[in-house]
mmCIF file with all atom_site columns, all heavy atoms in Angstrom:
data_model
loop_
_atom_site.group_PDB
_atom_site.id
_atom_site.type_symbol
_atom_site.label_atom_id
_atom_site.label_alt_id
_atom_site.label_comp_id
_atom_site.label_asym_id
_atom_site.label_entity_id
_atom_site.label_seq_id
_atom_site.pdbx_PDB_ins_code
_atom_site.Cartn_x
_atom_site.Cartn_y
_atom_site.Cartn_z
_atom_site.occupancy
_atom_site.B_iso_or_equiv
_atom_site.pdbx_formal_charge
_atom_site.auth_seq_id
_atom_site.auth_comp_id
_atom_site.auth_asym_id
_atom_site.auth_atom_id
_atom_site.pdbx_PDB_model_num
ATOM 1   N N   . LEU A 1 105 ? -13.669 153.588 -144.571 1.00 0.00 ? 105 LEU A N   1
ATOM 2   C CA  . LEU A 1 105 ? -13.505 154.295 -145.829 1.00 0.00 ? 105 LEU A CA  1
ATOM 3   C C   . LEU A 1 105 ? -12.123 153.943 -146.347 1.00 0.00 ? 105 LEU A C   1
ATOM 4   O O   . LEU A 1 105 ? -11.144 154.069 -145.623 1.00 0.00 ? 105 LEU A O   1
ATOM 5   C CB  . LEU A 1 105 ? -13.603 155.810 -145.577 1.00 0.00 ? 105 LEU A CB  1
ATOM 6   C CG  . LEU A 1 105 ? -14.083 156.716 -146.693 1.00 0.00 ? 105 LEU A CG  1
ATOM 7   C CD1 . LEU A 1 105 ? -15.378 156.209 -147.320 1.00 0.00 ? 105 LEU A CD1 1
ATOM 8   C CD2 . LEU A 1 105 ? -14.311 158.113 -146.146 1.00 0.00 ? 105 LEU A CD2 1
ATOM 9   N N   . PHE A 1 106 ? -12.085 153.440 -147.583 1.00 0.00 ? 106 PHE A N   1
ATOM 10  C CA  . PHE A 1 106 ? -10.792 153.017 -148.143 1.00 0.00 ? 106 PHE A CA  1
ATOM 11  C C   . PHE A 1 106 ? -10.319 154.012 -149.192 1.00 0.00 ? 106 PHE A C   1
ATOM 12  O O   . PHE A 1 106 ? -11.092 154.383 -150.089 1.00 0.00 ? 106 PHE A O   1
ATOM 13  C CB  . PHE A 1 106 ? -10.949 151.635 -148.781 1.00 0.00 ? 106 PHE A CB  1
ATOM 14  C CG  . PHE A 1 106 ? -9.715  151.146 -149.485 1.00 0.00 ? 106 PHE A CG  1
ATOM 15  C CD1 . PHE A 1 106 ? -8.597  150.755 -148.748 1.00 0.00 ? 106 PHE A CD1 1
ATOM 16  C CD2 . PHE A 1 106 ? -9.654  151.095 -150.860 1.00 0.00 ? 106 PHE A CD2 1
ATOM 17  C CE1 . PHE A 1 106 ? -7.442  150.303 -149.387 1.00 0.00 ? 106 PHE A CE1 1
ATOM 18  C CE2 . PHE A 1 106 ? -8.502  150.639 -151.523 1.00 0.00 ? 106 PHE A CE2 1
ATOM 19  C CZ  . PHE A 1 106 ? -7.414  150.253 -150.772 1.00 0.00 ? 106 PHE A CZ  1
ATOM 20  N N   . PHE A 1 107 ? -9.039  154.453 -149.050 1.00 0.00 ? 107 PHE A N   1
ATOM 21  C CA  . PHE A 1 107 ? -8.478  155.362 -150.034 1.00 0.00 ? 107 PHE A CA  1
ATOM 22  C C   . PHE A 1 107 ? -7.385  154.633 -150.825 1.00 0.00 ? 107 PHE A C   1
ATOM 23  O O   . PHE A 1 107 ? -6.340  154.309 -150.263 1.00 0.00 ? 107 PHE A O   1
ATOM 24  C CB  . PHE A 1 107 ? -7.889  156.601 -149.352 1.00 0.00 ? 107 PHE A CB  1
ATOM 25  C CG  . PHE A 1 107 ? -8.926  157.493 -148.748 1.00 0.00 ? 107 PHE A CG  1
ATOM 26  C CD1 . PHE A 1 107 ? -9.276  157.386 -147.419 1.00 0.00 ? 107 PHE A CD1 1
ATOM 27  C CD2 . PHE A 1 107 ? -9.591  158.439 -149.541 1.00 0.00 ? 107 PHE A CD2 1
ATOM 28  C CE1 . PHE A 1 107 ? -10.243 158.204 -146.877 1.00 0.00 ? 107 PHE A CE1 1
ATOM 29  C CE2 . PHE A 1 107 ? -10.568 159.269 -148.991 1.00 0.00 ? 107 PHE A CE2 1
ATOM 30  C CZ  . PHE A 1 107 ? -10.896 159.141 -147.655 1.00 0.00 ? 107 PHE A CZ  1
ATOM 31  N N   . PRO A 1 108 ? -7.645  154.376 -152.097 1.00 0.00 ? 108 PRO A N   1
ATOM 32  C CA  . PRO A 1 108 ? -6.646  153.661 -152.910 1.00 0.00 ? 108 PRO A CA  1
ATOM 33  C C   . PRO A 1 108 ? -5.371  154.474 -153.031 1.00 0.00 ? 108 PRO A C   1
ATOM 34  O O   . PRO A 1 108 ? -5.410  155.700 -153.155 1.00 0.00 ? 108 PRO A O   1
ATOM 35  C CB  . PRO A 1 108 ? -7.323  153.525 -154.275 1.00 0.00 ? 108 PRO A CB  1
ATOM 36  C CG  . PRO A 1 108 ? -8.776  153.752 -154.027 1.00 0.00 ? 108 PRO A CG  1
ATOM 37  C CD  . PRO A 1 108 ? -8.833  154.706 -152.874 1.00 0.00 ? 108 PRO A CD  1
ATOM 38  N N   . ARG A 1 109 ? -4.288  153.746 -153.014 1.00 0.00 ? 109 ARG A N   1
ATOM 39  C CA  . ARG A 1 109 ? -2.975  154.360 -152.988 1.00 0.00 ? 109 ARG A CA  1
ATOM 40  C C   . ARG A 1 109 ? -2.734  155.357 -154.120 1.00 0.00 ? 109 ARG A C   1
ATOM 41  O O   . ARG A 1 109 ? -2.354  156.498 -153.896 1.00 0.00 ? 109 ARG A O   1
ATOM 42  C CB  . ARG A 1 109 ? -1.949  153.226 -153.091 1.00 0.00 ? 109 ARG A CB  1
ATOM 43  C CG  . ARG A 1 109 ? -0.564  153.685 -152.816 1.00 0.00 ? 109 ARG A CG  1
ATOM 44  C CD  . ARG A 1 109 ? 0.425   152.621 -153.147 1.00 0.00 ? 109 ARG A CD  1
ATOM 45  N NE  . ARG A 1 109 ? 1.618   153.350 -153.481 1.00 0.00 ? 109 ARG A NE  1
ATOM 46  C CZ  . ARG A 1 109 ? 2.829   152.894 -153.388 1.00 0.00 ? 109 ARG A CZ  1
ATOM 47  N NH1 . ARG A 1 109 ? 3.025   151.679 -152.983 1.00 0.00 ? 109 ARG A NH1 1
ATOM 48  N NH2 . ARG A 1 109 ? 3.841   153.633 -153.687 1.00 0.00 ? 109 ARG A NH2 1
ATOM 49  N N   . THR A 1 110 ? -2.930  154.893 -155.334 1.00 0.00 ? 110 THR A N   1
ATOM 50  C CA  . THR A 1 110 ? -2.552  155.725 -156.497 1.00 0.00 ? 110 THR A CA  1
ATOM 51  C C   . THR A 1 110 ? -3.328  157.025 -156.548 1.00 0.00 ? 110 THR A C   1
ATOM 52  O O   . THR A 1 110 ? -2.750  158.088 -156.703 1.00 0.00 ? 110 THR A O   1
ATOM 53  C CB  . THR A 1 110 ? -2.776  154.945 -157.815 1.00 0.00 ? 110 THR A CB  1
ATOM 54  O OG1 . THR A 1 110 ? -4.082  154.357 -157.761 1.00 0.00 ? 110 THR A OG1 1
ATOM 55  C CG2 . THR A 1 110 ? -1.749  153.831 -157.957 1.00 0.00 ? 110 THR A CG2 1
ATOM 56  N N   . SER A 1 111 ? -4.640  156.963 -156.380 1.00 0.00 ? 111 SER A N   1
ATOM 57  C CA  . SER A 1 111 ? -5.418  158.196 -156.468 1.00 0.00 ? 111 SER A CA  1
ATOM 58  C C   . SER A 1 111 ? -5.077  159.128 -155.308 1.00 0.00 ? 111 SER A C   1
ATOM 59  O O   . SER A 1 111 ? -5.036  160.357 -155.486 1.00 0.00 ? 111 SER A O   1
ATOM 60  C CB  . SER A 1 111 ? -6.922  157.918 -156.506 1.00 0.00 ? 111 SER A CB  1
ATOM 61  O OG  . SER A 1 111 ? -7.245  156.686 -155.967 1.00 0.00 ? 111 SER A OG  1
ATOM 62  N N   . PHE A 1 112 ? -4.814  158.558 -154.144 1.00 0.00 ? 112 PHE A N   1
ATOM 63  C CA  . PHE A 1 112 ? -4.514  159.424 -153.015 1.00 0.00 ? 112 PHE A CA  1
ATOM 64  C C   . PHE A 1 112 ? -3.186  160.135 -153.193 1.00 0.00 ? 112 PHE A C   1
ATOM 65  O O   . PHE A 1 112 ? -3.058  161.327 -152.902 1.00 0.00 ? 112 PHE A O   1
ATOM 66  C CB  . PHE A 1 112 ? -4.534  158.640 -151.713 1.00 0.00 ? 112 PHE A CB  1
ATOM 67  C CG  . PHE A 1 112 ? -4.383  159.507 -150.505 1.00 0.00 ? 112 PHE A CG  1
ATOM 68  C CD1 . PHE A 1 112 ? -5.463  160.256 -150.056 1.00 0.00 ? 112 PHE A CD1 1
ATOM 69  C CD2 . PHE A 1 112 ? -3.176  159.617 -149.832 1.00 0.00 ? 112 PHE A CD2 1
ATOM 70  C CE1 . PHE A 1 112 ? -5.326  161.075 -148.957 1.00 0.00 ? 112 PHE A CE1 1
ATOM 71  C CE2 . PHE A 1 112 ? -3.038  160.428 -148.757 1.00 0.00 ? 112 PHE A CE2 1
ATOM 72  C CZ  . PHE A 1 112 ? -4.122  161.184 -148.301 1.00 0.00 ? 112 PHE A CZ  1
ATOM 73  N N   . VAL A 1 113 ? -2.195  159.385 -153.675 1.00 0.00 ? 113 VAL A N   1
ATOM 74  C CA  . VAL A 1 113 ? -0.883  160.022 -153.864 1.00 0.00 ? 113 VAL A CA  1
ATOM 75  C C   . VAL A 1 113 ? -0.951  161.132 -154.887 1.00 0.00 ? 113 VAL A C   1
ATOM 76  O O   . VAL A 1 113 ? -0.352  162.188 -154.724 1.00 0.00 ? 113 VAL A O   1
ATOM 77  C CB  . VAL A 1 113 ? 0.172   158.951 -154.280 1.00 0.00 ? 113 VAL A CB  1
ATOM 78  C CG1 . VAL A 1 113 ? 1.457   159.627 -154.747 1.00 0.00 ? 113 VAL A CG1 1
ATOM 79  C CG2 . VAL A 1 113 ? 0.465   158.040 -153.116 1.00 0.00 ? 113 VAL A CG2 1
ATOM 80  N N   . SER A 1 114 ? -1.714  160.917 -155.957 1.00 0.00 ? 114 SER A N   1
ATOM 81  C CA  . SER A 1 114 ? -1.784  161.989 -156.967 1.00 0.00 ? 114 SER A CA  1
ATOM 82  C C   . SER A 1 114 ? -2.519  163.211 -156.389 1.00 0.00 ? 114 SER A C   1
ATOM 83  O O   . SER A 1 114 ? -2.233  164.334 -156.748 1.00 0.00 ? 114 SER A O   1
ATOM 84  C CB  . SER A 1 114 ? -2.460  161.483 -158.241 1.00 0.00 ? 114 SER A CB  1
ATOM 85  O OG  . SER A 1 114 ? -3.825  161.219 -158.006 1.00 0.00 ? 114 SER A OG  1
ATOM 86  N N   . LEU A 1 115 ? -3.455  162.965 -155.490 1.00 0.00 ? 115 LEU A N   1
ATOM 87  C CA  . LEU A 1 115 ? -4.155  164.058 -154.834 1.00 0.00 ? 115 LEU A CA  1
ATOM 88  C C   . LEU A 1 115 ? -3.162  164.881 -153.994 1.00 0.00 ? 115 LEU A C   1
ATOM 89  O O   . LEU A 1 115 ? -3.074  166.085 -154.077 1.00 0.00 ? 115 LEU A O   1
ATOM 90  C CB  . LEU A 1 115 ? -5.243  163.501 -153.917 1.00 0.00 ? 115 LEU A CB  1
ATOM 91  C CG  . LEU A 1 115 ? -6.510  164.326 -153.722 1.00 0.00 ? 115 LEU A CG  1
ATOM 92  C CD1 . LEU A 1 115 ? -7.228  164.546 -155.029 1.00 0.00 ? 115 LEU A CD1 1
ATOM 93  C CD2 . LEU A 1 115 ? -7.431  163.647 -152.712 1.00 0.00 ? 115 LEU A CD2 1
ATOM 94  N N   . ILE A 1 116 ? -2.388  164.162 -153.203 1.00 0.00 ? 116 ILE A N   1
ATOM 95  C CA  . ILE A 1 116 ? -1.474  164.801 -152.262 1.00 0.00 ? 116 ILE A CA  1
ATOM 96  C C   . ILE A 1 116 ? -0.347  165.511 -153.008 1.00 0.00 ? 116 ILE A C   1
ATOM 97  O O   . ILE A 1 116 ? 0.221   166.500 -152.533 1.00 0.00 ? 116 ILE A O   1
ATOM 98  C CB  . ILE A 1 116 ? -0.930  163.741 -151.287 1.00 0.00 ? 116 ILE A CB  1
ATOM 99  C CG1 . ILE A 1 116 ? -0.958  164.301 -149.881 1.00 0.00 ? 116 ILE A CG1 1
ATOM 100 C CG2 . ILE A 1 116 ? 0.454   163.319 -151.658 1.00 0.00 ? 116 ILE A CG2 1
ATOM 101 C CD1 . ILE A 1 116 ? -0.484  163.289 -148.866 1.00 0.00 ? 116 ILE A CD1 1
ATOM 102 N N   . ARG A 1 117 ? -0.021  164.973 -154.168 1.00 0.00 ? 117 ARG A N   1
ATOM 103 C CA  . ARG A 1 117 ? 1.071   165.531 -154.945 1.00 0.00 ? 117 ARG A CA  1
ATOM 104 C C   . ARG A 1 117 ? 0.807   166.976 -155.324 1.00 0.00 ? 117 ARG A C   1
ATOM 105 O O   . ARG A 1 117 ? 1.721   167.755 -155.583 1.00 0.00 ? 117 ARG A O   1
ATOM 106 C CB  . ARG A 1 117 ? 1.282   164.665 -156.199 1.00 0.00 ? 117 ARG A CB  1
ATOM 107 C CG  . ARG A 1 117 ? 2.617   164.816 -156.872 1.00 0.00 ? 117 ARG A CG  1
ATOM 108 C CD  . ARG A 1 117 ? 2.748   163.853 -158.028 1.00 0.00 ? 117 ARG A CD  1
ATOM 109 N NE  . ARG A 1 117 ? 2.941   162.482 -157.583 1.00 0.00 ? 117 ARG A NE  1
ATOM 110 C CZ  . ARG A 1 117 ? 4.094   162.014 -157.111 1.00 0.00 ? 117 ARG A CZ  1
ATOM 111 N NH1 . ARG A 1 117 ? 5.140   162.805 -157.005 1.00 0.00 ? 117 ARG A NH1 1
ATOM 112 N NH2 . ARG A 1 117 ? 4.211   160.762 -156.731 1.00 0.00 ? 117 ARG A NH2 1
ATOM 113 N N   . ASN A 1 118 ? -0.469  167.342 -155.387 1.00 0.00 ? 118 ASN A N   1
ATOM 114 C CA  . ASN A 1 118 ? -0.814  168.701 -155.794 1.00 0.00 ? 118 ASN A CA  1
ATOM 115 C C   . ASN A 1 118 ? -1.255  169.554 -154.619 1.00 0.00 ? 118 ASN A C   1
ATOM 116 O O   . ASN A 1 118 ? -1.696  170.680 -154.785 1.00 0.00 ? 118 ASN A O   1
ATOM 117 C CB  . ASN A 1 118 ? -1.936  168.671 -156.805 1.00 0.00 ? 118 ASN A CB  1
ATOM 118 C CG  . ASN A 1 118 ? -1.531  167.906 -158.054 1.00 0.00 ? 118 ASN A CG  1
ATOM 119 O OD1 . ASN A 1 118 ? -0.510  168.209 -158.667 1.00 0.00 ? 118 ASN A OD1 1
ATOM 120 N ND2 . ASN A 1 118 ? -2.292  166.879 -158.396 1.00 0.00 ? 118 ASN A ND2 1
ATOM 121 N N   . ASP A 1 119 ? -1.156  169.027 -153.414 1.00 0.00 ? 119 ASP A N   1
ATOM 122 C CA  . ASP A 1 119 ? -1.839  169.711 -152.329 1.00 0.00 ? 119 ASP A CA  1
ATOM 123 C C   . ASP A 1 119 ? -1.022  169.723 -151.031 1.00 0.00 ? 119 ASP A C   1
ATOM 124 O O   . ASP A 1 119 ? -1.136  168.839 -150.192 1.00 0.00 ? 119 ASP A O   1
ATOM 125 C CB  . ASP A 1 119 ? -3.168  169.036 -152.075 1.00 0.00 ? 119 ASP A CB  1
ATOM 126 C CG  . ASP A 1 119 ? -4.128  169.935 -151.342 1.00 0.00 ? 119 ASP A CG  1
ATOM 127 O OD1 . ASP A 1 119 ? -3.635  170.838 -150.617 1.00 0.00 ? 119 ASP A OD1 1
ATOM 128 O OD2 . ASP A 1 119 ? -5.331  169.751 -151.488 1.00 0.00 ? 119 ASP A OD2 1
#
Side-chain angles (χ1 to χ4, degrees):
Chain A
L105 207 50
F106 175 72
F107 292 95
R109 191 190 152 154
T110 47
S111 23
F112 186 76
V113 168
S114 68
L115 211 62
I116 225 178
R117 199 176 286 285
N118 299 306
D119 201 334

